[in-house]
Amino acid sequence: MLANQKVKADQWVEIIYQSQSGEITKRTVKIYGSNKEKIFGYCYMRKDYRSFYKEQILAMIPKKRL
């Protein structure tokens, strides 16, 4: 993830994410929180709450609400 990008609760973002197996996906996520290693939020692709390792986020842009 870009080191200078900050995330905050209730923010909507679109991410390009690479899983540990190498699969790359584009996801819309509503963020609920974060820590040093992960971002926590609701993933609209999987229709479930998920956590994402920051180091595996290849790109992230703010998005307007769905």
Side-chain angles (χ1 to χ4, degrees):
M1 185 175 96
L2 301 175
N4 61 350
Q5 283 191 281
K6 305 236 186 241
V7 296
K8 52 189 169 186
D10 293 328
Q11 181 180 5
W12 295 66
V13 294
E14 191 165 84
I15 64 172
I16 305 296
Y17 188 74
Q18 184 172 12
S19 70
Q20 290 181 346
S21 66
E23 179 185 6
I24 296 176
T25 56
K26 180 178 175 182
R27 301 165 182 239
T28 298
V29 177
K30 183 177 181 189
I31 296 173
Y32 287 105
S34 66
N35 63 23
K36 218 173 186 181
E37 297 176 353
K38 294 181 179 181
I39 290 175
F40 306 96
Y42 185 83
C43 175
Y44 286 87
M45 183 181 121
R46 300 286 188 213
K47 296 181 178 26
D48 199 4
Y49 292 93
R50 298 287 172 129
S51 61
F52 303 94
Y53 283 99
K54 290 180 178 181
E55 66 185 25
Q56 292 174 225
I57 297 174
L58 305 177
M60 180 172 64
I61 58 170
K63 185 170 176 79
K64 292 186 178 184
R65 295 179 69 168
L66 293 178

